[in-house]
Amino acid sequence: MFDQVERNAVTAIVFDLDGTLVDSAPDIHRSANVALLAEGRPELSIEAITSFIGNGVAVLIRRAMAASGVAGDDVHARMMARFLADYNRAPTELTRCYPAVREALAQLSAKGHRLAVCTNKPEAIARAVLDDLAIGGYFDAVIGGDTTGAHKPDPRPLKAALSALGAPGGLYVGDSETDAETARAGAVPFVLFAEGYRAHSVAEIDPVTSFSDFAELSGIVDSLTDAAAL
């Protein structure tokens, strides 16, 4: 795929948020269980809730409902409202950046790369999370699940992020099957953070490359940029 990418386009790097830059599953787990308990349903494990992350809040709630044996649009609406009220109250109570994320963003910015976030989380909440964790200043654009009217794996949010950076192309860094599908749909090379919320093996996801430590990312981007110039 890199023979289709201009060298200067690779200076644009778009990141997923949940499971990529931040481990947000503990806060999402808390808020999902608040919504379930209000419906008289038992709490779900963090492993179960984590497996539901990636396609936006509405889908996460549908998956939690299915796992709990409840259904109905009215139940979904109530649970959505309760989830969002609790989550918006404290979106970073338990959420943390993955190790070396801040250092990696600083290195990439210092090398002249322009950075953006593309997430299915609502844009305002995504910006609050980034600012609370003191990494919002590294990003020139934040595209949320409500920014374009489309959700990943639809490629429009990713393309909007690249457009906001003024780039015809670049790299997309994410952690999941949804991110990989988004990158493929948008014809953007995909780099996998292997310590996030994926359900399948690295080989099955088939990224351009993968990494497990953000301390590696700046060097990986250098290598991919050099490869694009060949």
Side-chain angles (χ1 to χ4, degrees):
M1 183 179 288
F2 265 93
D3 57 359
Q4 302 172 15
V5 180
E6 295 295 332
R7 180 184 175 90
N8 60 6
V10 185
T11 61
I13 307 170
V14 181
F15 292 86
D16 173 53
L17 183 56
D18 300 298
T20 301
L21 295 171
V22 303
D23 181 9
S24 53
D27 280 311
I28 294 171
H29 175 243
R30 179 203 71 227
S31 298
N33 280 334
V34 165
L36 285 167
L37 289 170
E39 294 295 326
R41 307 306 299 171
E43 295 184 349
L44 294 176
S45 69
I46 191 167
E47 291 80 12
I49 295 298
T50 300
S51 73
F52 302 156
I53 296 172
N55 293 94
V57 177
V59 173
L60 182 144
I61 294 299
R62 291 282 184 199
R63 290 169 175 168
M65 289 170 60
S68 302
V70 294
D73 291 342
D74 55 340
V75 177
H76 184 262
R78 288 197 304 270
M79 288 185 61
M80 278 278 291
R82 289 180 179 125
F83 175 94
L84 290 170
D86 185 78
Y87 189 73
N88 291 352
R89 173 186 61 80
T92 55
E93 182 176 50
L94 303 170
T95 295
R96 300 291 181 268
C97 289
Y98 284 104
V101 160
R102 291 184 183 86
E103 294 83 353
L105 295 175
Q107 289 174 338
L108 292 169
S109 294
K111 291 180 177 180
H113 297 290
R114 300 197 69 198
L115 311 180
V117 166
C118 177
T119 175
N120 278 336
K121 189 186 293 294
E123 181 181 336
I125 303 175
R127 288 183 181 276
V129 169
L130 293 168
D131 290 342
D132 284 355
L133 298 178
I135 58 174
Y138 290 110
F139 299 102
D140 294 306
V142 177
I143 304 298
D146 56 352
T147 305
T148 66
H151 284 76
K152 299 180 298 180
D154 189 302
R156 282 177 287 176
L158 176 56
K159 290 181 177 180
L162 291 168
S163 178
L165 297 180
L171 297 176
Y172 186 40
V173 181
D175 70 295
S176 70
E177 294 80 359
T178 297
D179 294 324
E181 187 178 346
T182 303
R184 283 194 294 272
V188 175
F190 179 61
V191 177
L192 176 72
F193 175 56
E195 302 303 310
Y197 303 154
R198 63 189 168 87
H200 295 86
S201 71
V202 173
E204 289 175 296
I205 293 175
D206 193 28
V208 169
T209 190
S210 65
F211 66 101
S212 296
D213 184 345
F214 267 88
E216 306 168 20
L217 184 57
S218 181
I220 287 171
V221 171
D222 287 346
S223 297
L224 295 177
T225 303
D226 289 342
L230 296 179

PDB file of all heavy atoms in Angstrom, residues 8-26:
ATOM      1  N   ASN A   8       5.260  13.030   1.655  1.00  0.00           N
ATOM      2  CA  ASN A   8       4.808  14.125   2.500  1.00  0.00           C
ATOM      3  C   ASN A   8       3.431  13.858   3.110  1.00  0.00           C
ATOM      4  O   ASN A   8       3.057  14.454   4.112  1.00  0.00           O
ATOM      5  CB  ASN A   8       4.792  15.451   1.735  1.00  0.00           C
ATOM      6  CG  ASN A   8       3.881  15.430   0.524  1.00  0.00           C
ATOM      7  OD1 ASN A   8       3.169  14.465   0.292  1.00  0.00           O
ATOM      8  ND2 ASN A   8       3.911  16.502  -0.243  1.00  0.00           N
ATOM      9  N   ALA A   9       2.660  12.914   2.515  1.00  0.00           N
ATOM     10  CA  ALA A   9       1.361  12.580   3.079  1.00  0.00           C
ATOM     11  C   ALA A   9       1.507  11.816   4.386  1.00  0.00           C
ATOM     12  O   ALA A   9       0.645  11.872   5.247  1.00  0.00           O
ATOM     13  CB  ALA A   9       0.537  11.758   2.088  1.00  0.00           C
ATOM     14  N   VAL A  10       2.602  11.062   4.547  1.00  0.00           N
ATOM     15  CA  VAL A  10       2.787  10.246   5.734  1.00  0.00           C
ATOM     16  C   VAL A  10       3.061  11.118   6.955  1.00  0.00           C
ATOM     17  O   VAL A  10       3.007  10.651   8.090  1.00  0.00           O
ATOM     18  CB  VAL A  10       3.923   9.213   5.498  1.00  0.00           C
ATOM     19  CG1 VAL A  10       4.063   8.261   6.668  1.00  0.00           C
ATOM     20  CG2 VAL A  10       3.638   8.414   4.239  1.00  0.00           C
ATOM     21  N   THR A  11       3.322  12.406   6.761  1.00  0.00           N
ATOM     22  CA  THR A  11       3.525  13.273   7.919  1.00  0.00           C
ATOM     23  C   THR A  11       2.216  13.539   8.661  1.00  0.00           C
ATOM     24  O   THR A  11       2.236  14.099   9.740  1.00  0.00           O
ATOM     25  CB  THR A  11       4.155  14.617   7.507  1.00  0.00           C
ATOM     26  OG1 THR A  11       3.289  15.285   6.599  1.00  0.00           O
ATOM     27  CG2 THR A  11       5.513  14.389   6.874  1.00  0.00           C
ATOM     28  N   ALA A  12       1.077  13.141   8.097  1.00  0.00           N
ATOM     29  CA  ALA A  12      -0.203  13.226   8.794  1.00  0.00           C
ATOM     30  C   ALA A  12      -0.475  11.883   9.466  1.00  0.00           C
ATOM     31  O   ALA A  12      -0.459  10.837   8.811  1.00  0.00           O
ATOM     32  CB  ALA A  12      -1.320  13.564   7.819  1.00  0.00           C
ATOM     33  N   ILE A  13      -0.714  11.916  10.769  1.00  0.00           N
ATOM     34  CA  ILE A  13      -0.964  10.685  11.524  1.00  0.00           C
ATOM     35  C   ILE A  13      -2.255  10.857  12.308  1.00  0.00           C
ATOM     36  O   ILE A  13      -2.395  11.797  13.099  1.00  0.00           O
ATOM     37  CB  ILE A  13       0.197  10.368  12.487  1.00  0.00           C
ATOM     38  CG1 ILE A  13       1.534  10.350  11.737  1.00  0.00           C
ATOM     39  CG2 ILE A  13      -0.039   9.027  13.182  1.00  0.00           C
ATOM     40  CD1 ILE A  13       2.748  10.273  12.647  1.00  0.00           C
ATOM     41  N   VAL A  14      -3.194   9.946  12.080  1.00  0.00           N
ATOM     42  CA  VAL A  14      -4.478   9.976  12.763  1.00  0.00           C
ATOM     43  C   VAL A  14      -4.532   8.807  13.743  1.00  0.00           C
ATOM     44  O   VAL A  14      -4.169   7.678  13.396  1.00  0.00           O
ATOM     45  CB  VAL A  14      -5.644   9.889  11.758  1.00  0.00           C
ATOM     46  CG1 VAL A  14      -6.986   9.956  12.483  1.00  0.00           C
ATOM     47  CG2 VAL A  14      -5.546  11.006  10.724  1.00  0.00           C
ATOM     48  N   PHE A  15      -5.003   9.084  14.954  1.00  0.00           N
ATOM     49  CA  PHE A  15      -5.075   8.074  16.007  1.00  0.00           C
ATOM     50  C   PHE A  15      -6.523   7.797  16.404  1.00  0.00           C
ATOM     51  O   PHE A  15      -7.329   8.732  16.546  1.00  0.00           O
ATOM     52  CB  PHE A  15      -4.348   8.552  17.276  1.00  0.00           C
ATOM     53  CG  PHE A  15      -2.868   8.667  17.157  1.00  0.00           C
ATOM     54  CD1 PHE A  15      -2.289   9.837  16.651  1.00  0.00           C
ATOM     55  CD2 PHE A  15      -2.029   7.634  17.545  1.00  0.00           C
ATOM     56  CE1 PHE A  15      -0.917   9.963  16.552  1.00  0.00           C
ATOM     57  CE2 PHE A  15      -0.660   7.754  17.446  1.00  0.00           C
ATOM     58  CZ  PHE A  15      -0.094   8.925  16.947  1.00  0.00           C
ATOM     59  N   ASP A  16      -6.827   6.539  16.629  1.00  0.00           N
ATOM     60  CA  ASP A  16      -8.021   6.180  17.382  1.00  0.00           C
ATOM     61  C   ASP A  16      -7.781   6.606  18.839  1.00  0.00           C
ATOM     62  O   ASP A  16      -6.650   6.910  19.234  1.00  0.00           O
ATOM     63  CB  ASP A  16      -8.240   4.667  17.280  1.00  0.00           C
ATOM     64  CG  ASP A  16      -9.357   4.179  18.162  1.00  0.00           C
ATOM     65  OD1 ASP A  16     -10.474   4.723  18.078  1.00  0.00           O
ATOM     66  OD2 ASP A  16      -9.114   3.245  18.949  1.00  0.00           O
ATOM     67  N   LEU A  17      -8.842   6.617  19.651  1.00  0.00           N
ATOM     68  CA  LEU A  17      -8.702   7.053  21.042  1.00  0.00           C
ATOM     69  C   LEU A  17      -8.788   5.883  22.023  1.00  0.00           C
ATOM     70  O   LEU A  17      -7.783   5.473  22.604  1.00  0.00           O
ATOM     71  CB  LEU A  17      -9.768   8.101  21.358  1.00  0.00           C
ATOM     72  CG  LEU A  17      -9.721   8.718  22.765  1.00  0.00           C
ATOM     73  CD1 LEU A  17      -8.370   9.350  23.066  1.00  0.00           C
ATOM     74  CD2 LEU A  17     -10.851   9.721  22.937  1.00  0.00           C
ATOM     75  N   ASP A  18      -9.975   5.306  22.196  1.00  0.00           N
ATOM     76  CA  ASP A  18     -10.170   4.241  23.183  1.00  0.00           C
ATOM     77  C   ASP A  18      -9.427   2.973  22.781  1.00  0.00           C
ATOM     78  O   ASP A  18      -9.613   2.455  21.679  1.00  0.00           O
ATOM     79  CB  ASP A  18     -11.656   3.925  23.324  1.00  0.00           C
ATOM     80  CG  ASP A  18     -12.464   5.127  23.790  1.00  0.00           C
ATOM     81  OD1 ASP A  18     -12.192   5.608  24.898  1.00  0.00           O
ATOM     82  OD2 ASP A  18     -13.351   5.570  23.047  1.00  0.00           O
ATOM     83  N   GLY A  19      -8.583   2.482  23.669  1.00  0.00           N
ATOM     84  CA  GLY A  19      -7.818   1.277  23.376  1.00  0.00           C
ATOM     85  C   GLY A  19      -6.567   1.532  22.573  1.00  0.00           C
ATOM     86  O   GLY A  19      -5.795   0.606  22.311  1.00  0.00           O
ATOM     87  N   THR A  20      -6.363   2.784  22.156  1.00  0.00           N
ATOM     88  CA  THR A  20      -5.158   3.148  21.387  1.00  0.00           C
ATOM     89  C   THR A  20      -4.324   4.137  22.179  1.00  0.00           C
ATOM     90  O   THR A  20      -3.243   3.793  22.659  1.00  0.00           O
ATOM     91  CB  THR A  20      -5.533   3.718  20.016  1.00  0.00           C
ATOM     92  OG1 THR A  20      -6.286   2.737  19.277  1.00  0.00           O
ATOM     93  CG2 THR A  20      -4.291   4.075  19.207  1.00  0.00           C
ATOM     94  N   LEU A  21      -4.805   5.347  22.337  1.00  0.00           N
ATOM     95  CA  LEU A  21      -4.084   6.330  23.151  1.00  0.00           C
ATOM     96  C   LEU A  21      -4.373   6.148  24.640  1.00  0.00           C
ATOM     97  O   LEU A  21      -3.491   6.386  25.477  1.00  0.00           O
ATOM     98  CB  LEU A  21      -4.465   7.750  22.730  1.00  0.00           C
ATOM     99  CG  LEU A  21      -4.061   8.172  21.325  1.00  0.00           C
ATOM    100  CD1 LEU A  21      -4.704   9.507  20.977  1.00  0.00           C
ATOM    101  CD2 LEU A  21      -2.543   8.251  21.192  1.00  0.00           C
ATOM    102  N   VAL A  22      -5.603   5.751  24.956  1.00  0.00           N
ATOM    103  CA  VAL A  22      -6.011   5.664  26.360  1.00  0.00           C
ATOM    104  C   VAL A  22      -6.696   4.336  26.651  1.00  0.00           C
ATOM    105  O   VAL A  22      -7.393   3.772  25.798  1.00  0.00           O
ATOM    106  CB  VAL A  22      -6.954   6.828  26.751  1.00  0.00           C
ATOM    107  CG1 VAL A  22      -6.294   8.175  26.476  1.00  0.00           C
ATOM    108  CG2 VAL A  22      -8.296   6.739  26.031  1.00  0.00           C
ATOM    109  N   ASP A  23      -6.498   3.868  27.871  1.00  0.00           N
ATOM    110  CA  ASP A  23      -7.222   2.708  28.378  1.00  0.00           C
ATOM    111  C   ASP A  23      -8.436   3.242  29.127  1.00  0.00           C
ATOM    112  O   ASP A  23      -8.373   3.577  30.307  1.00  0.00           O
ATOM    113  CB  ASP A  23      -6.328   1.884  29.303  1.00  0.00           C
ATOM    114  CG  ASP A  23      -7.030   0.643  29.836  1.00  0.00           C
ATOM    115  OD1 ASP A  23      -8.138   0.323  29.360  1.00  0.00           O
ATOM    116  OD2 ASP A  23      -6.478  -0.007  30.752  1.00  0.00           O
ATOM    117  N   SER A  24      -9.538   3.335  28.414  1.00  0.00           N
ATOM    118  CA  SER A  24     -10.767   3.930  28.941  1.00  0.00           C
ATOM    119  C   SER A  24     -11.777   2.889  29.393  1.00  0.00           C
ATOM    120  O   SER A  24     -12.849   3.239  29.899  1.00  0.00           O
ATOM    121  CB  SER A  24     -11.410   4.825  27.876  1.00  0.00           C
ATOM    122  OG  SER A  24     -11.583   4.088  26.675  1.00  0.00           O
ATOM    123  N   ALA A  25     -11.445   1.615  29.227  1.00  0.00           N
ATOM    124  CA  ALA A  25     -12.403   0.557  29.551  1.00  0.00           C
ATOM    125  C   ALA A  25     -12.911   0.626  30.992  1.00  0.00           C
ATOM    126  O   ALA A  25     -14.103   0.378  31.222  1.00  0.00           O
ATOM    127  CB  ALA A  25     -11.797  -0.810  29.259  1.00  0.00           C
ATOM    128  N   PRO A  26     -12.083   0.956  31.991  1.00  0.00           N
ATOM    129  CA  PRO A  26     -12.617   0.997  33.361  1.00  0.00           C
ATOM    130  C   PRO A  26     -13.747   1.999  33.549  1.00  0.00           C
ATOM    131  O   PRO A  26     -14.740   1.700  34.231  1.00  0.00           O
ATOM    132  CB  PRO A  26     -11.384   1.354  34.197  1.00  0.00           C
ATOM    133  CG  PRO A  26     -10.228   0.818  33.418  1.00  0.00           C
ATOM    134  CD  PRO A  26     -10.605   1.075  31.982  1.00  0.00           C
TER     135      PRO A  26
END
